Amino acid sequence: MVSVIIVGINQWAEYTRQLIADLWTHEPEVNIVCVDNHSDTPYPEAAHIFRTDERLCYSAAINFGVERAPEGWILSLNNDVRCEGKFVKKIEALDENTIYGRQIITEDGYVWLGNWLALFTKETWRKLGGFDPKFAACGFEDADYCIRGKHLGIDTEPVDLPFRHLWGKTRWAIPGYEATRSQNIKYLEKKLGIRLGRSMRVTHD
């Protein structure tokens, strides 16, 4: 089974509702877990929409969604993404012991994904203990997840899926994000004993 986790803060009409409509158009049977990350105006009540009790960092919001998904593949998406075709059969044919992304980032031999689209199994997520909620707001939780996966023999690879990132919002627009980014890098370095965030290279997008 493939479950799609959508994390959204506000922007129901602008992005989230349109993405859900896309998914139902191309894959009407796919399981959707939409995380309303404590939007200022709550998302509509529906069986596939789950509202958090407080505003969570992106790591915790993804974990919140995965916890509510059944076993199988997890496709985690930002809400400012559009689906442009079928994808379930392609995902089901992939290696379950691999983490996949559309945007692949490398630095000093380390490989991770840009977290606007992340694909992994719930079993992999469980092995890794989920995404680390100690990363404030968003940023480098994806690097931490993939590098920890590599330590367990789980590679991160690019995947061509019919999704387009609108880049309608960026983490740099979060008030004080530059300081938050520096904080996250320091936490990552202390946690994993590595240095990242200074010469990153995007190899796929």
Side-chain angles (χ1 to χ4, degrees):
M1 173 176 283
V2 176
S3 295
V4 180
I5 310 296
I6 304 168
V7 175
I9 301 175
N10 301 320
Q11 300 177 317
W12 167 254
E14 299 95 323
Y15 295 118
T16 311
R17 182 175 63 186
Q18 295 182 52
L19 175 54
I20 292 173
D22 285 349
L23 294 169
W24 280 340
T25 295
H26 296 292
E27 295 284 5
E29 302 301 320
V30 76
N31 183 55
I32 295 175
V33 177
C34 178
V35 178
D36 172 8
N37 194 4
H38 209 73
S39 299
D40 297 329
T41 299
Y43 284 6
E45 293 187 10
H48 60 284
I49 297 177
F50 301 85
R51 180 173 169 83
T52 62
D53 293 331
E54 60 182 347
R55 185 71 53 82
L56 303 176
C57 69
Y58 195 53
S59 291
I62 295 175
N63 292 339
F64 179 90
V66 176
E67 287 166 357
R68 286 154 180 79
E71 296 299 316
W73 283 101
I74 303 293
L75 177 62
S76 174
L77 300 172
N78 280 12
N79 68 334
D80 59 338
V81 170
R82 298 301 299 268
C83 175
E84 299 177 326
K86 292 184 175 295
F87 56 90
V88 167
K89 287 186 178 180
K90 183 164 189 176
I91 290 175
E92 291 176 338
L94 295 172
D95 179 4
E96 294 184 358
N97 196 49
T98 301
I99 299 167
Y100 295 95
R102 275 286 304 276
Q103 182 185 57
I104 299 296
I105 304 164
T106 61
E107 183 176 358
D108 293 339
Y110 298 102
V111 180
W112 69 95
L113 54 82
N115 218 3
W116 67 267
L117 184 154
L119 176 65
F120 48 87
T121 64
K122 189 165 183 177
E123 181 178 358
T124 292
W125 172 85
R126 190 182 297 110
K127 285 180 181 178
L128 295 177
F131 287 84
D132 186 344
K134 292 183 181 179
F135 286 91
C138 56
F140 292 93
E141 78 289 333
D142 40 23
D144 171 71
Y145 186 80
C146 295
I147 293 169
R148 286 190 288 118
K150 183 65 174 178
H151 290 164
L152 296 178
I154 302 170
D155 291 332
T156 298
E157 301 286 349
V159 66
D160 183 18
L161 294 176
F163 292 90
R164 177 167 52 94
H165 195 186
L166 302 178
W167 301 100
K169 54 182 181 177
T170 71
R171 60 189 61 185
W172 293 100
I174 298 173
Y177 180 70
E178 188 169 353
T180 299
R181 182 177 187 272
S182 297
Q183 174 185 332
N184 285 351
I185 291 173
K186 290 178 182 178
Y187 174 62
L188 179 75
E189 291 176 343
K190 183 177 180 180
K191 178 181 179 180
L192 299 182
I194 62 176
R195 290 175 62 83
L196 289 180
R198 294 160 180 81
S199 58
M200 297 184 299
R201 184 167 64 94
V202 178
T203 54
H204 293 81
D205 194 354

